[in-house]
Amino acid sequence: MTQDTSTYYVWIGGSCDYGHKERAGGAAVVIEHNGNIISRDVISDLHTTEFRMMLTLMVKVMQEIPDGSDILFLTNAAYIQNFDKTPTAKSANRTSSESKDASSLAISAESRGRKARANPDLILQCIEEKKRHNSVGVKIVQYHKSPLLIETHDRATEAMAKTRKEFHQKNNRLSVSSEIVVSVSMPPCAQEGEDGTENSSHLSR
């Protein structure tokens, strides 16, 4: 792909694990400008989707790139092509568009055929941020022929897994702490003596 030296090329990919109860999601970007990689970024969260994470990161990128710029997002996720289309009641019920690339197979069957969330709040933010620039567009590229796109998916997946791991570690620590508190606060069990009276160290003598 021939690049224009003035355009910011933003490779963006996402990942989401629908197989886990907390459903962590992540997104990552690699930004090229004037033939050089100028920055990388990654975000992740719980109870979300890769599409929501990608839109969130698009907003962040447009905020950070200088006003009046030309920005082109490069991705295999057809969903974000509508990042600048004003949400309507109809779009809120539209089934999610999925890339025909092999990477789309990673999307759980759980999500196929279901109604997609339009993420109207993030789309409206994208529309506002786009106004600050000369042009902002999305180009669909082939996943397996785009090393930087593959990198974004890998980084998004790593961030997603890390967020999920930290979530479970925190929950496990809280669970252990709760068990200790309960154990310490419970009085010793009273034992019955041979004469039928209670013998216990915590009873008054």
Side-chain angles (χ1 to χ4, degrees), residues 87-144:
T88 63
K90 183 178 180 180
S91 69
N93 290 323
R94 185 170 53 238
T95 302
S96 171
S97 298
E98 292 181 3
S99 168
K100 293 183 180 180
D101 269 310
S103 61
S104 68
L105 296 175
I107 300 176
S108 169
E110 177 186 354
S111 67
R112 300 183 189 279
R114 291 192 175 185
K115 302 301 180 182
R117 293 181 180 179
N119 297 307
D121 56 330
L122 292 173
I123 291 176
L124 289 174
Q125 288 183 54
C126 283
I127 291 172
E128 286 303 308
E129 293 303 326
K130 180 181 177 181
K131 295 176 182 178
R132 299 174 51 246
H133 298 287
N134 183 49
S135 67
V136 180
V138 173
K139 180 181 176 64
I140 302 300
V141 297
Q142 294 184 23
Y143 178 79
H144 292 293

Side-chain angles (χ1 to χ4, degrees), residues 59 63 83 89 101 120 141 150 168 180:
V59 171
Q63 289 174 339
F83 80 100
D101 269 310
V141 297
I150 294 173
H168 285 298
I180 292 174

Side-chain angles (χ1 to χ4, degrees), residues 167-201:
F167 168 75
H168 285 298
Q169 287 177 337
K170 180 180 179 180
N171 277 0
N172 288 339
R173 286 196 298 270
L174 290 174
S175 177
V176 171
S177 298
S178 297
E179 289 176 2
I180 292 174
V181 170
V182 171
S183 176
V184 170
S185 62
M186 289 291 288
C189 293
Q191 295 180 346
E192 196 173 278
E194 292 181 0
D195 59 355
T197 59
E198 288 185 335
N199 296 324
S200 176
S201 59

Side-chain angles (χ1 to χ4, degrees), residues 1-11 30-34 70-74:
M1 181 182 69
T2 303
Q3 294 188 357
D4 183 281
T5 56
S6 63
T7 300
Y8 288 85
Y9 294 92
V10 184
W11 300 86
V30 177
I31 304 177
E32 289 186 293
H33 185 249
N34 197 21
D70 294 304
I71 305 172
L72 183 62
F73 289 95
L74 303 162

Side-chain angles (χ1 to χ4, degrees), residues 25-27 43-45 48-57:
I43 61 173
S44 62
D45 203 354
T48 187
T49 66
E50 70 269 40
F51 301 124
R52 189 164 182 82
M53 288 289 92
M54 291 173 75
L55 289 170
T56 300
L57 196 48

Side-chain angles (χ1 to χ4, degrees), residues 23-87:
R23 197 177 63 179
V29 292
V30 177
I31 304 177
E32 289 186 293
H33 185 249
N34 197 21
N36 298 309
I37 294 176
I38 62 170
S39 69
R40 289 177 166 86
D41 198 2
V42 62
I43 61 173
S44 62
D45 203 354
L46 298 173
H47 310 294
T48 187
T49 66
E50 70 269 40
F51 301 124
R52 189 164 182 82
M53 288 289 92
M54 291 173 75
L55 289 170
T56 300
L57 196 48
M58 288 176 74
V59 171
K60 187 172 186 287
V61 167
M62 286 188 281
Q63 289 174 339
E64 294 176 348
I65 288 178
D67 290 4
S69 298
D70 294 304
I71 305 172
L72 183 62
F73 289 95
L74 303 162
T75 185
N76 68 316
Y79 176 89
I80 65 170
Q81 284 182 301
N82 294 321
F83 80 100
D84 59 350
K85 302 297 187 296
T86 303

